[in-house]
Amino acid sequence: MPFPRKFPRAALRARSRSTVQNIHFRSIKFAPFAVIALFVFTNVTGFFFSPVMAPVVSAAQVETIPLDVPASGDCDLDWVIFRAGEKQGVDPRFIHAVIKQESKYDPKAVSGAGAQGLMQMMPATAKRFGLKDPFNAAENVEAGTKYLKWLLKRFDGDVSLALAGYNAGEGAVDKYKGVPPFGETQDYVKKIVTNYGKTYHPILTPADAKLAFHLVTMDSATISSGL
């Protein structure tokens, strides 16, 4: 029986539809296997869940100065004072009270007696605590804070005696067994104690001081990003 050279167009269209339907049926049939295979692949290899491909979620720690710590009017200086207090275990509020009384936050201040800088360090005392440039704000505050810490430790955390030593020298405090009977020193001690609001400053390690003086105020911000 001879075969026709050409199939009728209607027969070809029917056969084409049948083929497409068959392909679709096979695709649907194997879809569950494809999903299972993809699941196994991603869990075994960790491809989509690797650190490279997965979204990055991290907690950014934003450190702030507590609101009850005084402000100098200079944000950079406020951080210098805060950092010095953290490092030495001295309450930044106390450091602020001393600086305000000593120099009114003027880093170039010089007294008639020769005291220099923010914390009015005398040359001999500056040398004791490693201060080379008294007009460098950071260096001056660091050295002055070291001196305050030393005085607080020497006088067992008594703020009045530490301040008297800072103003008149620790030798004068020893000699008079208390705040020396000098009008300037007594007025100095009274003003700073009133401003600071405390008569006792505990002697603590820097880590313990952060908690005791409530210096840890971290605000967590969640930052998400993906590749």
Side-chain angles (χ1 to χ4, degrees):
M1 177 180 178
F3 291 96
R5 292 180 180 273
K6 296 182 179 179
F7 288 101
R9 291 184 179 181
L12 287 174
R13 284 197 295 269
R15 183 173 183 180
S16 176
R17 283 197 298 270
S18 175
T19 303
V20 170
Q21 289 173 355
N22 189 35
I23 292 172
H24 286 176
F25 176 75
R26 290 183 180 181
S27 299
I28 294 171
K29 181 178 178 181
F30 289 102
F33 296 100
V35 172
I36 294 172
L38 178 63
F39 176 79
V40 172
F41 174 74
T42 55
N43 279 273
V44 172
T45 63
F47 179 73
F48 290 110
F49 303 98
S50 68
V52 175
M53 299 299 295
V56 177
V57 179
S58 61
Q61 300 297 320
V62 181
E63 189 175 13
T64 59
I65 296 176
L67 294 176
D68 65 327
V69 173
S72 66
D74 181 336
C75 184
D76 290 338
L77 178 57
D78 289 341
W79 277 109
V80 165
I81 295 170
F82 188 76
R83 293 293 186 214
E86 276 190 324
K87 185 177 180 180
Q88 299 300 325
V90 176
D91 189 352
R93 303 165 186 83
F94 185 43
I95 303 171
H96 270 279
V98 171
I99 294 176
K100 183 178 180 180
Q101 183 63 33
E102 287 284 357
S103 66
K104 292 182 173 59
Y105 296 107
D106 181 3
K108 302 300 182 183
V110 178
S111 74
Q116 301 172 316
L118 285 165
M119 299 194 72
Q120 291 291 277
M121 300 289 286
M122 294 294 289
T125 307
K127 186 176 180 179
R128 280 173 60 191
F129 291 93
L131 176 58
K132 296 180 179 180
D133 182 1
F135 300 114
N136 179 291
E139 291 182 21
N140 191 290
V141 172
E142 183 176 357
T145 302
K146 286 180 181 178
Y147 187 30
L148 282 178
K149 180 181 179 180
W150 186 87
L151 289 166
L152 286 166
K153 187 174 181 179
R154 193 177 192 280
F155 295 114
D156 300 318
D158 189 312
V159 171
S160 294
L161 296 184
L163 290 171
Y166 196 93
N167 179 260
E170 58 268 19
V173 177
D174 292 337
K175 178 181 178 179
Y176 291 100
K177 302 185 185 315
V179 178
F182 311 143
E184 178 190 334
T185 301
Q186 291 185 346
D187 185 59
Y188 174 89
V189 170
K190 182 180 179 180
K191 286 182 177 179
I192 296 180
V193 168
T194 300
N195 191 14
Y196 179 45
K198 298 177 183 178
T199 58
Y200 176 73
H201 186 296
I203 310 303
L204 302 168
T205 64
D208 289 338
K210 285 184 180 182
L211 299 176
F213 301 134
H214 308 290
L215 304 182
V216 181
T217 56
M218 295 288 190
D219 297 326
S220 296
T222 302
I223 301 177
S224 301
S225 62
L227 294 177

